[in-house]
Amino acid sequence: MAVQNNRLTAEEYEQRFSDIHPPFETRDAALVDANRCLFCYDAPCTKSCPTGINVPKFIKQITTDNLKGAAYTIFSSNIMGGGCAKVCPVEKLCEGACVYNLMEETAIPIARLQRYATEPAIKGQWRMFERKQRTGKKVAIIGAGPAGLSCAHALSREGVDVTIYEKEAKGGGLMTYGIAAYKVTPAFCEEEVSFITGIGGIDIRYNQELGKDILLSALQEEYDAVYLAFGVGLARQLYIPGEQLEGVVDAISFIYDIRNSGFPAVPVGDQVAVIGMGMTAIDAATQARRLGAKEVTLVYRRTQQEMPCTVAEMDIALLDGCKIIWLAAPAEIIGENGKATQLICHSVRLEEDNTGRRQPVLTDEKIVLPVDMVIKAAGQMPFEQLIYENQLHHNGGKIAVTGNGVTSINGVFAGGDCVNGGKEVVDAVQAGKEGAAAILAYLQADCHVSSSH
Ligand code: SF4
């Protein structure tokens, strides 16, 4: 048994991490699916999209070969509509709401059509939006992830100059560093960031971390408003014995390393246990398998009914050969010579609490899993220190906001994962739009106050 890197040939990495949702092969194939759309007047697909993309409209535009129009319809609501077409849990959102489900027929492949419309625009770096005349106002944004980029684009369209401070060397946030590489490739992420910033008026300063390289107080002085979109990032600990052993890693770092250092550089075990059943757990498990792990077992303390990932996500893991142990709660990681060798779990039964939620209750029965690697995907914690240091009001470490991202500090706004604790990319994009609207209203009010003096 060994945790090691560089297990496969370059061709094998390429093949295992290639795009999991290939695009339509031909225009005709796209048109066949687009023409199935019933263009429902109440469009449940649109209602279920957090960014409210006008789905029947863009599908109609595809049917008339108006790809530019279709792309514009999508990007007007969701500037990351290209990436979201690849990473959104559409079974829970637009495709899950499509009326074809009621007829027990296959839903319209909205994500694939969305990709069909947006990919040429991103690849070709089409200039689709013009900026209004510059207002002379300047806004600083912390974080070039989905919320930050969405906010920046919406502000730039209105003639506001934006500077984004990003702690990583690349933009895209979760999209670039936190999602399985077979869903969105690094090259696509870079193209998407360039597409968004191509509007102009958005300057991204990389390797700039809030609290280390820049301070909120300095930004407040230099800019007319500040938008905080620094996400969540710290992995939740399990607080069980053996967590410090060699071979025990957290899923956020594991996925980050794959995205940041490249496939061959990331060590993986032969027998890997992944703790959790959220999307991050699935992305870690499937990528461990694809990096060459012989056995990957997902361990979850509830059942399929309660799992946070979608069935489609779970199916990817099962098709990759991952196993799942339901109703098992990690109790201890045993090691030899400082290295993890066994994961011990309590078997669990579920009992309803007084709110009706089924809660795990430990039994005496133990499950022993031989391991050489344990990947923890038990959720993420907010960047509490940043919040305390900057004296922001918060709810358990998540920045507290009223209205559309208005924080407890005048002129400072926030949105995305640092407010909601970690949701989908599409939720962050919507938060960025709402934050921009709140900032614009604030800047306008500010203008009125200044001009009346
Ligand atoms: Fe088309 Fe389905 Fe949306 Fe109706 S619900 S407009 S059929 S995609």
Side-chain angles (χ1 to χ4, degrees), residues 135-421:
T135 59
K137 294 285 178 187
K138 298 187 300 177
V139 172
I141 295 180
I142 304 294
L149 287 169
S150 159
C151 182
H153 191 266
L155 290 173
S156 177
R157 280 180 77 178
E158 296 301 318
V160 175
D161 289 332
V162 178
T163 306
I164 307 183
Y165 294 87
E166 167 56 50
K167 72 174 178 172
E168 300 291 346
K170 291 180 191 162
L174 175 70
M175 195 79 100
T176 300
Y177 291 106
I179 288 180
Y182 56 78
K183 292 183 187 163
V184 269
T185 62
F188 173 83
C189 293
E190 282 189 36
E191 284 170 0
E192 186 169 53
V193 173
S194 303
F195 172 74
I196 295 168
T197 55
I199 189 172
I202 304 173
D203 173 27
I204 308 185
R205 299 193 186 160
Y206 292 106
N207 303 307
Q208 296 294 308
E209 187 170 349
L210 182 64
K212 283 192 187 154
D213 308 295
I214 32 158
L215 294 175
L216 181 58
S217 53
L219 296 177
Q220 283 175 283
E221 276 192 17
E222 193 180 341
Y223 295 89
D224 298 297
V226 181
Y227 184 67
L228 303 173
F230 50 71
V232 284
L234 305 174
R236 217 171 272 288
Q237 298 301 305
L238 298 173
Y239 301 108
I240 58 171
E243 228 173 328
Q244 75 298 339
L245 287 165
E246 198 181 318
V248 182
V249 298
D250 74 73
I252 311 290
S253 314
F254 181 66
I255 295 169
Y256 175 93
D257 288 345
I258 294 172
R259 299 302 304 258
N260 197 41
S261 317
F263 310 123
V266 181
V268 68
D270 280 330
Q271 292 177 298
V272 180
V274 179
I275 298 168
M277 259 324 262
M279 196 191 81
T280 304
I282 299 287
D283 282 3
T286 51
Q287 294 196 109
R289 251 321 254 158
R290 287 165 194 241
L291 284 175
K294 295 197 172 87
E295 277 176 28
V296 176
T297 308
L298 286 141
V299 176
Y300 183 53
R301 61 196 193 129
R302 292 189 166 91
T303 67
Q304 185 176 334
Q305 217 181 312
E306 293 85 16
M307 67 180 185
C309 71
T310 63
V311 173
E313 291 277 347
M314 180 184 73
D315 287 346
I316 299 173
L318 293 173
L319 283 170
D320 275 358
C322 302
K323 295 181 194 138
I324 303 172
I325 300 181
W326 305 105
L327 294 169
E332 185 177 3
I333 303 164
I334 308 279
E336 272 172 36
N337 303 323
K339 295 179 182 176
T341 55
Q342 285 183 327
L343 173 68
I344 315 286
C345 299
H346 283 290
S347 181
V348 161
R349 66 169 190 278
L350 294 182
E351 280 181 14
E352 269 189 23
D353 63 13
N354 48 16
T355 64
R357 187 155 194 243
R358 300 204 302 164
Q359 295 293 358
V361 177
L362 303 184
T363 70
D364 291 335
E365 197 187 322
K366 295 265 174 76
I367 299 164
V368 179
L369 262 171
V371 294
D372 54 8
M373 186 175 195
V374 176
I375 304 178
K376 303 176 289 181
Q380 281 167 270
M381 293 190 304
F383 291 112
E384 287 180 349
Q385 200 177 334
L386 277 182
I387 290 159
Y388 297 145
E389 274 171 10
N390 293 299
Q391 297 175 349
L392 288 151
H393 288 182
H394 64 97
N395 302 312
K398 295 181 273 186
I399 301 174
V401 294
T402 54
N404 292 333
V406 179
T407 72
S408 52
I409 303 175
N410 187 38
V412 178
F413 300 78
D417 286 357
C418 61
V419 169
N420 65 34

